[in-house]
Amino acid sequence: MYDCIIVGTGPAGFSCALNLKIHNRQFLWFGNGQMSDKVQKTPHVDNYPALPGITGRGLFEAFDAHRQQMEIAITEKQVTNIMPAGDHYMVLADNEVYEARTVALCVGAANAAPLRGEEEFLGRGVSYCATCDGNFYKGKKIAVYANAPKFEHEVEFLADLAESVDFYPAYPEPGVVRENVHVSTDYPVEIKGELKACEVTLKSGESREVDGVFLLRNAIAPAIMLKNLVVENGHIVVNRKQETNLPGCYAAGDCTGRPYQYAKAVGEGNVAAHEIIEYLAEADKKEK
Amino acid sequence: MYDCIIVGTGPAGFSCALNLKIHNRQFLWFGNGQMSDKVQKTPHVDNYPALPGITGRGLFEAFDAHRQQMEIAITEKQVTNIMPAGDHYMVLADNEVYEARTVALCVGAANAAPLRGEEEFLGRGVSYCATCDGNFYKGKKIAVYANAPKFEHEVEFLADLAESVDFYPAYPEPGVVRENVHVSTDYPVEIKGELKACEVTLKSGESREVDGVFLLRNAIAPAIMLKNLVVENGHIVVNRKQETNLPGCYAAGDCTGRPYQYAKAVGEGNVAAHEIIEYLAEADKKEK
């Protein structure tokens, strides 16, 4: 049983991990070994105090050097489900179960807001896992959204099975080149259907008929990942202590709302860690 | 009329100033040219993300270099009073009046909590200003508390007037050497009296009879500086937007509560700035 599982490797997750590490807490930190693609892609940051005019890449390198110096490990697995289990949480990551007394959701803004229709059709034409569900779409027409290049091997795996793939990469210069893969610069905004998902509406207003939709993201929308989590306008609702509505469940960074700022994210990650440490100490006292 | 007056030059104030500057807002930033003595005195900081194992002095230098690179000026004056004036605030700093549409209180933790009895006896034996009130204490016994070396010339000015001075510096290696000045390493915790202050209770439990008490600080306790500001347990009450109970008045950093952390402070300063920018934009819209 871990003291905490942190989901998300952006600045909020790092700040949280840093403070749990300093306080000798046992935790797992799930996410991307490259921490945050979003940070790395930022051309220029003027307002991270003490690092004037740094590039996103430079900021990432500074975070990563700090992480390595503190010997904090990232576990490169994707969390798909979190279940409250009385006094702790069960966390499903790459189909393995991990248990922790608390969770810290630091999943970023883009991941916090599901597409319209996503939750409704999840398991009915909408999937997060190519390996798990790819075989249902042999010879079919599918749409695949991916928010990081690391998912491209899953896109290729799906292209081997499906008749055709509409591919919507949410990053520049995608590397998938297949005859049956149509790479689009448009962006899915809604999934429609009746009993099953059968249409994707794009930002341009265009609609595409499909048999299934794969959404490959660094993190699942928290409201889908964790039932009964209160989310408003795509943001996890937290108080000044970064507590969500669920005891032992904290959130920090862009997923809790604007402004989407590195300084805010590291601040909230710090506060979440300190509140988690206090929560654990209180729980220990009660047990005695 | 300024868009904002920021009170306090620690990390929260700096983060707030940085973002107002980037957004081309007109503001004054009152405080200490050395920013924060507290930051400078910190031996070692492990958890300011991206700057592993930095000294407080190193962190100050990085903040200061960033400040200079952004051409942000500090006005070295002490704010003693803030008065709401309808749609703006009047701010008294070194006995001059400045006007601003919003204020951001970033005064730190130590300054947020007044001594017990301080408010009760303010103007009745308790003073914040040696120049203003020194002459009332000619030939008398006084206590002087100071939280920065820059106040030592005021201590000397008082020593020239008073019979004797109990001096309580809240920093190491004070430089006042006078026959009638007794430098103590103890710490005042309460001011007692009846019609007038006449006794200082120290942390050690000892009590000292005095005719008056001077409290020389970088900032006055916010609840005293700004009437009707809601403060609980020595911390300014704010919501997730860093709004206090007074419209247009924001607070950030240690003065809003624990954890007392640089990451939290810069995060809150950032959020306060963005909320101030939004508040000003909303107010501009209404005027049109």
Side-chain angles (χ1 to χ4, degrees), chain A residues 14-15 18-19 22 46-53 59 62-63 66 69-70 238-240 242 256 259 261 263-264 266-268 270-271 274, chain B residues 14-15 18-19 22 46-53 59 62-63 66 69-70 238-240 242 256 259 261 263-264 266-268 270-271 274:
Chain A
F14 176 50
S15 186
L18 194 53
N19 286 280
I22 289 168
D46 261 333
N47 67 347
Y48 190 79
L51 293 173
L59 191 57
F63 283 148
H66 197 171
Q69 188 246 19
M70 298 293 289
V238 291
N239 61 14
R240 293 261 312 148
Q242 307 304 131
T256 71
Q261 296 278 321
K264 170 183 176 281
V266 300
E268 292 192 355
N270 180 300
V271 171
H274 284 89
Chain B
F14 175 51
S15 186
L18 193 52
N19 286 280
I22 288 168
D46 261 332
N47 65 347
Y48 190 79
L51 293 172
L59 190 57
F63 284 147
H66 197 171
Q69 189 246 19
M70 298 293 290
V238 291
N239 61 14
R240 291 260 315 147
Q242 306 305 129
T256 72
Q261 296 277 321
K264 169 183 176 280
V266 300
E268 292 192 355
N270 180 301
V271 172
H274 284 90

Side-chain angles (χ1 to χ4, degrees), chain A residues 28 60 158 201 209 220 230 241 258 263 274:
Chain A
L28 276 179
F60 156 71
L158 289 167
T201 308
E209 280 186 22
I220 309 302
V230 173
K241 295 179 171 186
R258 291 179 184 278
H274 284 89

Side-chain angles (χ1 to χ4, degrees), chain B residues 1-2 5 7 30 79-93 96-103 105 225-227:
Chain B
M1 175 83 71
Y2 292 93
I5 283 175
V7 187
F30 288 116
V79 174
T80 48
N81 203 351
I82 303 176
M83 283 157 291
D87 64 347
H88 70 284
Y89 287 87
M90 303 212 298
V91 176
L92 200 68
E96 277 182 68
V97 176
Y98 301 85
E99 292 183 283
R101 298 168 68 195
T102 64
V103 291
L105 304 172
M225 187 156 63
L226 177 46
K227 289 272 173 267

